[in-house]
Amino acid sequence: MLAYDVTLDALRSASTLLPYPISEDELGYLAVHIGVSLECNYGTRHHRPTQVLIVTDSGNSTVRVIETKIMREFPQLKFNRALSLQEYETLENIDEDFVITTIRLAEKNKPVVKIAPFPTPYQLEQVGRLAMINQTKPYIIERFFDERYFIILNEKISQEALFKKICKKLQADGYVTSDSYPSLLERESIVSTLLGEGIALPHSLGLLANKTVVVTIISPQGIKWNAETKEVANVIFLLAISKADYEEAIAIYELFVTFVKEKATKRLINSTSFAQN
């Protein structure tokens, strides 16, 4: 999505210089190349080892097989310890970043991935997704999320009124200029920023912010997001991204895409504070 928006913004500026209009297929082709460039140049300075807990009742040989297979695919992971189901059930909290298990178990305070001793490609994909998120999440939250911009809306409000309200506050605090509000509306008019599962990711057309910040809006009642499909957004992450932070924005987008894939809307809606979210 970031690559698409960067391409869209660049072509909007250059459209008057081109002898013919750019088709959607050509736009997608250019976005792919820009996306590859962003990923190749994206720094990993904020990455840290992701600690994993293994839970299995199959013995040490199974643990060794899992470690060997997973480490071959994801060498950035660190296997902290291996426990039996009985030992796991006695824990009140999990210290590791997430749990890999070969047996069915109840999730505690950290995500759980169930795999076979010889994981399938889909199971490896799930492990990889958690590995990526747990490497980037602490850095992203610390740098770009702010408790002042965590909002719970219990009243009904339109999408346009929401944008106007947030942009007014962001502008007053020096994060954006007056161009932000009309650009948000323009971006939404091109393609809806509703990702799915009630999660929306509104942002301006282009990197217009003076400073980067993510505004988190929780709306239990839902905000009408698409007039044609009557879809609503319950969790809105309004992005104000500066040009200086465009590389880090890749990790921001990946974080929210993972929320959608993990169907995290219900958990997010029940958040009552910034720390809990």
Side-chain angles (χ1 to χ4, degrees), residues 231-245:
E231 292 177 299
V232 299
N234 297 103
V235 181
I236 301 101
F237 297 103
L238 192 150
L239 308 183
I241 300 176
S242 71
K243 292 181 179 178
D245 296 320

Side-chain angles (χ1 to χ4, degrees), residues 8 14 22 28 35 58 61 81 102 119 121 124 175 191-192 202 206 211 246:
L8 193 63
I22 299 294
S58 300
S61 59
R81 54 180 172 163
T102 58
L124 289 174
Y175 282 94
V191 179
S192 172
K211 297 180 291 182
Y246 77 94

Side-chain angles (χ1 to χ4, degrees), residues 5-261:
D5 287 329
V6 171
T7 307
L8 193 63
D9 182 54
L11 289 179
R12 184 185 63 161
S13 303
S15 60
T16 57
L17 304 176
L18 298 174
Y20 54 85
I22 299 294
S23 68
E24 289 189 6
D25 289 341
E26 291 170 319
L27 176 62
Y29 179 79
L30 291 171
V32 167
H33 284 273
I34 290 178
V36 170
S37 178
L38 286 173
E39 291 184 3
C40 288
N41 289 282
Y42 177 50
T44 59
R45 58 188 177 277
H46 57 276
H47 284 185
R48 64 172 181 81
T50 299
Q51 295 189 355
V52 178
L53 167 64
I54 298 178
V55 179
T56 180
D57 279 337
S58 300
N60 290 332
S61 59
T62 299
V63 173
R64 299 286 87 80
V65 170
I66 293 173
E67 286 184 352
T68 301
K69 180 65 176 178
I70 299 297
M71 286 297 294
R72 186 182 300 128
E73 298 288 337
F74 310 105
Q76 73 271 31
L77 297 182
K78 177 183 178 182
F79 288 93
N80 198 39
R81 54 180 172 163
L83 300 178
S84 66
L85 176 60
Q86 185 177 2
E87 291 171 325
Y88 174 83
E89 289 178 340
T90 64
L91 299 177
E92 292 186 2
N93 292 289
I94 308 302
D95 296 326
E96 290 80 2
D97 293 298
F98 65 93
V99 180
I100 294 177
T101 179
T102 58
I103 52 181
R104 189 178 299 277
L105 49 80
E107 184 174 312
K108 295 181 183 288
N109 62 310
K110 296 296 174 65
V112 173
V113 179
K114 186 177 183 298
I115 66 171
F118 294 94
T120 66
Y122 174 73
Q123 291 169 344
L124 289 174
E125 181 184 341
Q126 289 182 303
V127 173
R129 188 184 306 137
L130 284 177
M132 182 275 297
I133 289 302
N134 279 286
Q135 284 181 320
T136 60
K137 186 177 179 180
Y139 168 84
I140 292 299
I141 291 178
E142 180 181 347
R143 181 169 180 183
F144 299 126
F145 287 73
D146 192 318
E147 189 170 2
R148 296 175 302 162
Y149 293 100
F150 177 80
I151 302 167
I152 298 178
L153 288 176
N154 291 313
E155 71 274 15
K156 289 187 177 181
I157 188 172
S158 68
Q159 183 194 77
E160 185 174 339
L162 175 67
F163 288 172
K164 185 176 293 186
K165 177 180 179 179
I166 299 302
C167 286
K168 183 178 180 180
K169 179 174 174 58
L170 288 174
Q171 187 175 349
D173 291 346
Y175 282 94
V176 302
T177 66
S178 58
D179 294 332
S180 181
Y181 173 65
S183 186
L184 274 172
L185 294 178
E186 183 180 0
R187 175 62 182 84
E188 205 67 44
S189 69
I190 297 173
V191 179
S192 172
T193 57
L194 188 67
L195 298 183
E197 299 295 327
I199 297 177
L201 212 64
H203 51 280
S204 62
L205 190 61
L207 308 174
L208 302 180
N210 299 321
K211 297 180 291 182
T212 298
V213 68
V214 178
V215 182
T216 304
I217 303 121
I218 307 295
S219 175
Q221 297 186 41
I223 298 172
K224 288 185 179 179
W225 212 257
N226 193 320
E228 295 181 0
T229 62
K230 298 182 180 180
E231 292 177 299
V232 299
N234 297 103
V235 181
I236 301 101
F237 297 103
L238 192 150
L239 308 183
I241 300 176
S242 71
K243 292 181 179 178
D245 296 320
Y246 77 94
E247 287 187 342
E248 280 80 0
I250 295 175
I252 297 177
Y253 277 76
E254 292 288 350
L255 178 63
F256 299 136
V257 168
T258 299
F259 284 160
V260 174
K261 291 181 178 178

